[in-house]
């Protein structure tokens, strides 16, 4: 069974940092691009970042570029999101998701809540 | 950035009725268009990818169509569990973008 399990969320102060992790199982992790998608309370979905299966290429939304870094450790089947210089508007549930060929994120984790507040 | 505009914002229908949800892109997304369903407190679930392909385990009452800039998700006969929020998403150009969602509610 394909599973994604996020961790690392919590309360951070404005300007602070957090590192999210996403542990993958049930599929060949290194063969799939992965994304982070967030959802602010009561709002819609916002794509944050993506990384290819090899980790060679990364992509970011303008809203997080220069502050967030996506990475992966294929030996540990784990995806990461390093979040620096956090702002109140980064408050959201953060999901990791696995990408199938073409358009489509076919497996999502349960999400981890990040709250940025003083 | 490609903007996806979903309509209507809210759709009120009864079980057994047909639902038609629209997603319009600000420029062509080719066939890189997906649809998701999200229920309260849950992660999104992929329904349709690449315009018309049903994801694994998705019932046949869900279908996708369209091309270029105009796309439709159709639910042929609504079941009680289908009342949720639906999002479209494109991967034609970076950044990946989502529509703002259509809330499908029970009439």
């Amino acid at each position: 069974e394909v599973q994604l399990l996020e961790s690392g969320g919590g309360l951070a102060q404005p300007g602070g940092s957090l590192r999210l992790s996403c542990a993958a199982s049930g599929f060949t992790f290194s063969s799939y691009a992965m994304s982070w998608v967030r959802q602010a309370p009561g709002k819609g979905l916002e794509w944050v970042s993506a990384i290819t299966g090899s980790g060679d290429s990364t992509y970011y939304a303008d809203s997080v570029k220069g502050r967030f870094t996506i990475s992966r450790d294929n030996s540990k089947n784990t995806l990461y999101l390093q979040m620096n210089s956090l702002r109140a508007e980064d408050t959201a549930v953060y999901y990791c998701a696995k990408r199938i060929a073409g358009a489509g994120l076919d497996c999502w984790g349960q999400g981890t809540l990040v709250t940025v507040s003083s | 950035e490609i903007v996806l505009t979903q309509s209507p914002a809210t759709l009120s229908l009864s079980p057994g009725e047909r639902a038609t949800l629209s997603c319009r892109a600000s420029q062509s997304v080719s066939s890189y268009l997906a649809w998701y369903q999200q229920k309260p407190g849950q992660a999104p679930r992929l329904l349709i990818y690449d315009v018309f392909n049903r994801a694994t385990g998705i019932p046949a009452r869900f279908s996708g169509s369209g091309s270029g800039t105009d796309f439709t998700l159709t639910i042929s006969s609504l079941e009680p569990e289908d009342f949720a929020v639906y999002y479209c998403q494109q991967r034609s150009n970076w950044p990946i973008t989502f529509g703002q969602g259509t809330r499908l509610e029970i009439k």
Side-chain angles (χ1 to χ4, degrees):
Chain A
E1 181 189 3
V2 175
Q3 283 195 326
L4 297 171
L5 184 62
E6 301 96 337
S7 59
L11 178 64
Q13 291 198 334
S17 298
L18 280 176
R19 188 196 199 200
L20 306 184
S21 299
C22 171
S25 60
F27 64 102
T28 305
F29 183 65
S30 60
S31 295
Y32 292 90
M34 300 291 294
S35 275
W36 288 98
V37 177
R38 68 185 181 184
Q39 187 168 35
K43 302 297 184 182
L45 301 172
E46 180 189 15
W47 173 79
V48 172
S49 184
I51 187 168
T52 55
S54 64
D56 288 350
S57 296
T58 57
Y59 307 86
Y60 298 93
D62 285 346
S63 58
V64 306
K65 200 173 293 183
R67 300 188 299 123
F68 290 10
T69 302
I70 191 172
S71 62
R72 63 193 298 160
D73 185 336
N74 287 341
S75 69
K76 295 182 178 179
N77 289 348
T78 303
L79 176 72
Y80 302 100
L81 186 67
Q82 178 67 44
M83 304 187 297
N84 298 332
S85 303
L86 283 164
R87 306 167 179 168
E89 54 265 37
D90 295 320
T91 294
V93 173
Y94 284 73
Y95 298 100
C96 65
K98 166 182 166 284
R99 205 201 93 190
I100 58 175
L105 301 170
D106 69 332
C107 182
W108 297 61
Q110 86 291 347
T112 187
L113 177 62
V114 171
T115 303
V116 183
S117 174
S118 56
Chain B
E1 170 175 320
I2 295 178
V3 176
L4 299 179
T5 302
Q6 293 186 240
S7 62
T10 303
L11 185 58
S12 299
L13 293 169
S14 300
E17 290 193 291
R18 182 184 186 91
T20 302
L21 287 67
S22 175
C23 177
R24 176 164 290 179
S26 59
Q27 64 188 79
S28 176
V29 299
S30 186
S31 62
Y32 296 114
L33 195 286
W35 291 92
Y36 300 84
Q37 177 193 68
Q38 188 179 32
K39 296 179 180 179
Q42 296 184 16
R45 178 174 72 144
L46 178 66
L47 299 174
I48 301 287
Y49 65 95
D50 296 351
V51 179
F52 57 81
N53 296 291
R54 275 190 302 277
T56 303
I58 301 304
R61 64 181 181 273
F62 291 92
S63 63
S65 62
S67 64
T69 60
D70 289 293
F71 301 90
T72 300
L73 174 70
T74 301
I75 310 172
S76 60
S77 179
L78 286 165
E79 296 288 341
E81 62 267 28
D82 297 337
F83 293 91
V85 179
Y86 292 83
Y87 296 94
C88 58
Q89 171 246 317
Q90 69 81 26
R91 194 200 72 80
S92 176
N93 286 1
W94 298 102
I96 290 172
T97 51
F98 288 89
Q100 82 282 11
T102 289
R103 180 177 303 278
L104 179 55
E105 63 177 27
I106 299 177
K107 187 174 182 179

